[in-house]
Amino acid sequence: MRHIHLIAPALLALAAGCAGSRMVVPGALAPVPDMEVHGAQGWMPGHALRFGGYAVRDLHRGSRAHEGEGLGGWVSAAIRNDRSRLRQTETFRFRFAEGEVDGRAECEQSAALSHSKVPVLGSVLYDPEASLGCAFTPAGASAAAWRLDMSDHDGRGLTGILGSEGVRFQVARSDRLSDTRWRTGEAVGFVFLEDGHPVGSVDVVNGGRVRIDPGLPQEQRFALAAASAAILLRTDLATSVEDEA
């Protein structure tokens, strides 16, 4: 089947092939030591995701749900344009720990796109969407719960908010690599911002790296680390939906 993508081309394949490629780190985070990510496979026995003093435990992935909605339509009075909206949804949960401190995470991610079969052109994919939502519950009756909500409506990467009682971090995507002046067109990492000031980042290319401002309160550092783990553990549903089209 011939696929024509109405999405900005990316340089992610090039980044994956260059071991030195990293997300550009905001200047405010440059002095912060980075934590190299290990076990990014996550689901494989003996390969639990970890970075610095943080570790994922008891990762469980739910079954993947597939949805399709026929839209129909016509290019002209004589040429049929069969359209459909495809969506996949997957849940996963895990425990997250830093030493004796731990908590639970319940996440759901989804990806969708529209698919048209057009004469001559073949299969056209457009209007991509994606989302990631997680609830983080630290252990302890007095610990405040956190919520991560991210979405993508242009195929360039997720953005969103990580928040709790009276605290909100913006989660911005980055499409800049350290070894090229070209932008990738898709997210190679994410930056956590508090009132516009970078306080953490997660690099998702070439194994991954995480930085968290050590000056933040412990509960905020823990929440940023848990959110980084969730971002690193999500699967590539967008490619799976494309393959299904």
Side-chain angles (χ1 to χ4, degrees):
M1 179 178 290
R2 184 181 178 189
H3 287 182
I4 297 177
H5 299 262
L6 304 184
I7 305 171
L11 300 176
L12 293 184
L14 176 62
C18 299
S21 293
R22 299 291 180 196
M23 179 190 80
V24 171
V25 176
L29 292 176
V32 177
D34 61 16
M35 295 177 281
E36 185 174 355
V37 176
H38 300 276
Q41 299 92 337
W43 53 271
M44 296 178 63
H47 289 275
L49 187 142
R50 64 193 187 282
F51 48 88
Y54 302 97
V56 168
R57 301 172 182 170
D58 302 328
L59 172 65
H60 298 278
R61 294 192 184 275
S63 58
R64 189 171 298 180
H66 301 251
E67 301 175 35
E69 178 185 2
L71 303 175
W74 299 84
V75 174
S76 69
I79 301 176
R80 177 72 178 179
N81 173 18
D82 293 316
R83 297 188 299 149
S84 60
R85 185 71 176 167
L86 306 175
R87 179 180 299 276
Q88 291 187 15
T89 304
E90 182 182 71
T91 59
F92 61 97
R93 68 182 189 274
F94 60 92
R95 287 179 55 222
F96 191 66
E98 179 192 17
E100 298 300 316
V101 180
D102 70 356
R104 302 189 315 274
E106 300 276 347
C107 301
E108 180 176 284
Q109 62 172 342
S110 69
L113 54 76
S114 294
H115 169 225
S116 291
K117 295 179 181 178
V118 179
V120 182
L121 293 179
S123 182
V124 179
L125 309 179
Y126 56 99
D127 288 346
E129 291 182 9
S131 67
L132 173 65
C134 295
F136 304 110
T137 308
S142 61
W146 290 77
R147 176 77 196 178
L148 173 69
D149 287 296
M150 302 180 70
S151 61
D152 174 12
H153 298 288
D154 59 12
R156 297 178 57 193
L158 297 165
T159 60
I161 296 293
L162 172 66
S164 183
E165 298 176 359
V167 182
R168 282 169 58 91
F169 296 112
Q170 179 188 358
V171 189
R173 65 192 173 208
S174 172
D175 62 357
R176 296 182 60 200
L177 291 169
S178 59
D179 57 355
T180 177
R181 64 187 179 90
W182 303 104
R183 293 182 178 270
T184 65
E186 296 181 30
V188 297
F190 301 87
V191 179
F192 298 97
L193 304 157
E194 184 177 30
D195 297 327
H197 178 73
V199 294
S201 66
V202 52
D203 187 334
V204 299
V205 295
N206 292 319
R209 292 175 185 269
V210 176
R211 294 179 189 237
I212 298 174
D213 186 343
L216 293 174
Q218 187 276 336
E219 64 272 15
Q220 294 183 15
R221 298 197 308 271
F222 189 80
L224 290 174
S228 298
I231 290 170
L232 288 162
L233 286 170
R234 63 194 182 95
T235 52
D236 188 4
L237 288 186
T239 297
S240 181
V241 173
E242 289 184 16
D243 292 341
E244 184 181 353

